[in-house]
Amino acid sequence: MLSVRKLTKTYAGASERHVLQELDLELDAGEYVAIMGESGIGKSTLLNLIAGLDTPDSGSVAIGGNELSTLDDYQRTLLRRRDIGFIFQAFNLLPRLSVAQNIALPLTLLGVERREAETRTRAMLERLHLGDRGADQPRTLSSGQMQRVAIGRALIHRPRLVLA
């Protein structure tokens, strides 16, 4: 499902920093992996490369058989929209959208029929124990509740891959 081959990324500057060097990673559907380490060793860089938000110096990333380097920007955007759920460290909830609208955003972007999107969003709100908070603005939530909204948004469209 996820295949990373000989992934290399270097950052230029006053001194060249080799963040990733020929990294290989293979994940099948249903597998969970935690990437741990000190600050600055490349965890976020790896996630950005896997998501196609950044480009490696060399190597390849394929999601569901789709090699990212063969896709143009628009195709990578569609792949992310359809196949990847993101749980951001800072939540990245949209303050002008309600809790329900934040969760439903991936469904809206995918063009899911309104009634289906509403049904799935209500069910997700219930699973997150936020059933009574759908109309609220994110700023009225606790940090833990905002994190649950971010998780709901990442999972609502049933992605192949979740990056957190």
Side-chain angles (χ1 to χ4, degrees):
M1 199 277 294
L2 173 66
S3 178
V4 174
R5 295 280 177 241
K6 299 197 178 300
L7 201 61
T8 299
K9 182 67 177 179
T10 303
Y11 290 109
S15 62
E16 203 169 66
R17 262 189 20 196
H18 299 282
V19 181
L20 300 172
Q21 293 182 342
E22 297 196 6
L23 175 77
D24 288 328
L25 175 66
E26 193 77 33
L27 294 176
D28 291 322
E31 285 191 88
Y32 295 84
V33 171
I35 300 168
M36 300 169 25
E38 296 176 17
S39 181
I41 66 163
K43 299 179 300 290
S44 294
T45 297
L46 176 59
L47 292 179
N48 287 334
L49 293 168
I50 289 172
L53 297 170
D54 197 0
T55 331
D57 297 331
S58 62
S60 66
V61 175
I63 298 172
N66 295 301
E67 167 58 51
L68 298 185
S69 66
T70 67
L71 305 177
D72 63 27
D73 284 341
Y74 180 70
Q75 291 169 320
R76 279 194 305 276
T77 297
L78 292 179
L79 180 122
R80 278 191 296 273
R81 188 179 295 168
R82 183 185 65 239
D83 292 337
I84 301 177
F86 293 94
I87 304 171
F88 297 98
Q89 188 171 359
F91 314 134
N92 290 355
L93 301 179
L94 300 174
R96 294 182 186 216
L97 298 182
S98 70
V99 166
Q101 289 169 325
N102 266 281
I103 290 173
L105 185 60
L107 300 177
T108 302
L109 294 172
L110 286 170
V112 172
E113 194 269 330
R114 185 173 162 222
R115 186 169 293 180
E116 170 71 12
E118 288 172 355
T119 299
R120 286 169 62 178
T121 301
R122 274 194 304 278
M124 183 62 75
L125 283 164
E126 290 301 323
R127 270 184 260 145
L128 298 168
H129 303 285
L130 294 169
D132 61 337
R133 302 300 302 267
D136 294 349
Q137 298 303 123
R139 70 179 176 281
T140 67
L141 303 178
S142 71
S143 292
Q145 290 169 323
M146 285 191 280
Q147 186 172 44
R148 283 185 274 156
V149 172
I151 291 168
R153 182 179 58 196
L155 299 178
I156 192 77
H157 63 294
R158 302 172 185 138
R160 291 179 180 201
L161 178 64
V162 177
L163 301 175

